[in-house]
Amino acid sequence: MSARLLVVDDILANRRLMQAKLEAKYYSVLLAENGVEALKIAAEDQPDIILLDVMMPGMDGYEVCRRLKADPQTAHIPVVMLTALNETADRVRGLEAGADDFLTKPVDDFSLMARIGALNRYNAVAMELRKREANGMRAGALAEEEMQGLERGANILLIDSSSSSMQSIRDPLQDAGHRVLTLDEADKAADGRNSNLDIVLLGLSHQAFDPLRLCAHFRTTDATRALSIIVMATSADRELAAQALELGASDIIQTPVVAEELLARVATQTKRRRYVDILRRRVDRGLELSVVDQLTGLYNRRYMTNQLALWMKRASLGSQPLSVISVDIDHFKQVNDKYGHDAGDRVLVQFADRIRTNVRPKDIVCRPGGEEFLVIMPETTGDLAGRAAERIRKSVAAEPFELDDLGQQKLGVTVSAGVAAYAGEDDTVADMLRRADLALYEAKTAGRNRVTNIAA
Ligand SMILES: [Mg+2]
């Protein structure tokens, strides 16, 4: 997976070296020699990842990072800070400035490629979700409480065989407000379901089982697919660590583990996983909104047409019957004109409920527009559909509709309905809908408050 990286460093030799390393791996590279230039290029060229030097004259890396994260145009771009050797304080400052990751100088190739690979995979998922969401509505920005949710303590599954490292890992995590479970504890806590976990911390060395197999298992199992996996490996196990990344691990941490780094990586992975989670839920909701009529909760015209085509196809293959009912509120325009649109909307909502309660769960109730409603009845003869239509008509006429919240003003409403049935292989969606409308029209001209069944 290729990507475009922005390298920010005040020293020419450093920029050139980094550029050579990255281009050797087929990444494309943008360069900036100071903070001001970096901010400009980031906003205009939208790189996928930014590698940011901390020590620069003028605006330092922390300030650049803060500004990148404060600008909605650049806030989503992962920033990797390049810090001086083993300066824990630098890393903490970097995190406070909003950095997504950090590397110590001099940067070794393995860590560099591992970090970029992990950020790249994360970017691919987040970008796809943002793109889909942008078709609907908000473009990936989070509300205040969603932001706070990203920061809350994580649920971490710790899989490591050495008991001493368990302590050195577990204690700092718990002190920082995270919940740490071992495999045994997780089994007891959730009946084997780990759906509320955020992160798996997986030791690669000296395990009684094959840790790579476990990595692959987590990635291919529905319940654990979205988890972040951080593998822990000694420098001697780099080959294994590289394979773990290939199999979908999100990040690597070197053992013996440095508490500051552990906490930083856990925080970053938790944030990322939850961000993707939020986007994914929004996309799902967006898909739902795109097929459902907002007022009544019934399916819209687009969904209706797709479903009818699908059921006609099935009917043609399985020689099963299929019927539709077209229903329309009589003199609805007068309701709107006389009582106003709010009252009209109330009638539509109550009418939708009466249709729903008079059909089966497998029937598909739609509101293609205005006061028109349509019920698709799979595996149903015209005769049966006619009886359902009659049930709907009666239930509407039987009890007046409420026009206000308190139910003080009520109005008697009637409906007319037309029923049509699938007519065999040559039938089309348009023809079937036209026949149902024709039947409905007959019911209207014959005096309304009745059902015309041209299928029976
Ligand atoms: Mg510098």
Side-chain angles (χ1 to χ4, degrees):
M1 197 189 328
S2 188
R4 214 145 54 110
L5 287 93
L6 170 60
V7 175
V8 189
D9 200 302
D10 56 314
I11 296 170
L12 177 67
N14 288 350
R15 293 197 297 274
R16 290 278 175 245
L17 179 66
M18 193 60 94
Q19 181 177 27
K21 279 184 185 182
L22 292 170
E23 286 180 351
K25 298 285 182 187
Y26 307 104
Y27 290 111
S28 73
V29 178
L30 300 161
L31 298 171
E33 61 176 280
N34 58 53
V36 175
E37 202 177 50
L39 292 172
K40 186 166 176 288
I41 293 175
E44 284 173 6
D45 295 317
Q46 296 281 306
D48 300 304
I49 297 168
I50 298 172
L51 299 180
L52 179 61
D53 183 30
V54 169
M55 296 297 288
M56 294 188 292
M59 196 189 300
D60 69 10
Y62 303 122
E63 183 57 26
V64 177
C65 188
R66 255 190 298 278
R67 293 194 188 192
L68 285 167
K69 293 299 175 185
D71 181 350
Q73 268 187 291
T74 53
H76 62 279
I77 305 172
V79 174
V80 181
M81 298 271 255
L82 305 179
T83 64
L85 194 64
N86 284 334
E87 285 293 332
T88 301
D90 282 355
R91 297 180 164 196
V92 173
R93 277 189 70 188
L95 283 170
E96 283 167 359
D100 296 85
D101 211 330
F102 35 77
L103 285 165
T104 47
K105 283 176 146 186
V107 176
D108 78 87
D109 290 9
F110 177 81
S111 306
L112 176 66
M113 293 311 159
R115 300 289 175 250
I116 292 175
L119 287 172
N120 228 357
R121 275 191 298 278
Y122 161 73
N123 266 348
V125 175
M127 208 176 297
E128 179 58 33
L129 289 170
R130 269 199 301 270
K131 211 178 352 176
R132 279 193 238 164
E133 200 208 21
N135 293 334
M137 30 185 178
R138 299 161 299 179
L142 299 193
E144 186 75 20
E145 73 264 23
E146 288 174 321
M147 294 287 272
Q148 285 164 3
L150 300 184
E151 312 272 347
R152 267 201 298 275
N155 290 322
I156 300 166
L157 177 61
L158 177 58
I159 308 175
D160 195 81
S161 52
S162 88
S163 54
S164 62
S165 81
M166 286 288 276
Q167 280 313 305
S168 69
I169 292 164
R170 188 169 200 153
D171 289 350
L173 286 171
Q174 284 179 338
D175 290 346
H178 300 296
R179 186 163 156 255
V180 183
L181 297 168
T182 62
L183 266 180
D184 283 352
E185 291 163 347
D187 270 350
K188 274 176 215 146
D191 292 319
R193 284 177 296 113
N194 300 319
S195 49
N196 60 345
L197 285 176
D198 294 294
I199 288 177
V200 177
L201 261 179
L202 176 62
L204 286 190
S205 311
H206 316 299
Q207 292 281 29
F209 49 85
D210 180 355
L212 293 182
R213 194 175 294 277
L214 192 61
C215 224
H217 170 77
F218 281 136
R219 273 292 168 264
T220 51
T221 305
D222 271 344
T224 53
R225 196 191 298 278
L227 291 183
S228 291
I229 303 171
I230 303 177
V231 295
M232 302 177 291
T234 64
S235 51
D237 279 333
R238 289 198 154 182
E239 270 308 306
L240 214 54
Q243 285 177 46
L245 279 178
E246 296 278 306
L247 288 171
S250 321
D251 203 356
I252 296 174
I253 186 164
Q254 226 178 73
T255 52
V257 168
V258 177
E260 308 280 354
E261 183 173 358
L262 174 69
L263 293 177
R265 297 205 181 283
V266 162
T268 306
Q269 289 301 328
T270 305
K271 260 195 244 177
R272 265 184 224 159
R273 175 184 131 66
R274 289 176 182 171
Y275 179 58
V276 165
D277 239 28
I278 289 170
L279 287 183
R280 198 167 270 145
R281 274 201 301 272
R282 281 189 192 169
V283 169
D284 288 349
R285 172 100 182 103
L287 289 177
E288 186 193 310
L289 288 177
S290 70
V291 301
V292 168
D293 163 48
Q294 301 265 347
L295 179 67
T296 59
L298 300 180
Y299 293 110
N300 63 17
R301 178 181 295 277
R302 181 159 58 134
Y303 187 82
M304 173 189 88
T305 313
N306 289 342
Q307 284 296 305
L308 185 55
L310 191 84
W311 281 103
M312 287 177 79
K313 179 97 186 149
R314 285 186 196 162
S316 78
L317 293 173
S319 65
Q320 289 275 17
L322 168 70
S323 301
V324 297
I325 307 171
S326 182
V327 205
D328 191 283
I329 301 176
D330 296 330
H331 302 300
F332 184 69
K333 191 175 173 302
Q334 290 174 18
V335 178
N336 272 334
D337 289 349
K338 193 168 172 193
Y339 302 97
H341 284 276
D342 281 354
D345 283 354
R346 280 205 175 79
V347 170
L348 291 171
V349 170
Q350 291 166 71
F351 177 44
D353 284 341
R354 292 198 200 182
I355 300 181
R356 260 191 295 243
T357 53
N358 281 287
V359 298
R360 304 157 303 180
K362 73 172 172 182
D363 298 325
I364 302 157
V365 186
C366 314
R367 181 185 174 217
E371 69 270 34
E372 294 169 53
F373 292 76
L374 190 113
V375 186
I376 301 171
M377 304 188 75
E379 297 162 356
T380 306
T381 61
D383 190 33
L384 273 177
R387 275 187 253 168
E390 189 56 28
R391 259 199 322 272
I392 294 167
R393 185 197 66 76
K394 274 188 190 154
S395 103
V396 170
E399 204 181 323
F401 286 52
E402 295 174 0
L403 295 182
D404 55 81
D405 271 345
L406 302 170
Q408 286 173 336
Q409 200 177 15
K410 294 193 180 186
L411 179 72
V413 173
T414 61
V415 295
S416 303
V419 179
Y422 176 64
E425 267 178 46
D426 294 332
D427 207 356
T428 66
V429 168
D431 280 345
M432 204 168 161
L433 292 176
R434 197 175 305 127
R435 290 199 306 280
D437 279 343
L438 220 69
L440 171 63
Y441 179 74
E442 267 181 45
K444 293 269 187 194
T445 51
R448 296 188 170 84
N449 191 19
R450 68 190 65 211
V451 175
T452 301
N453 191 347
I454 61 168

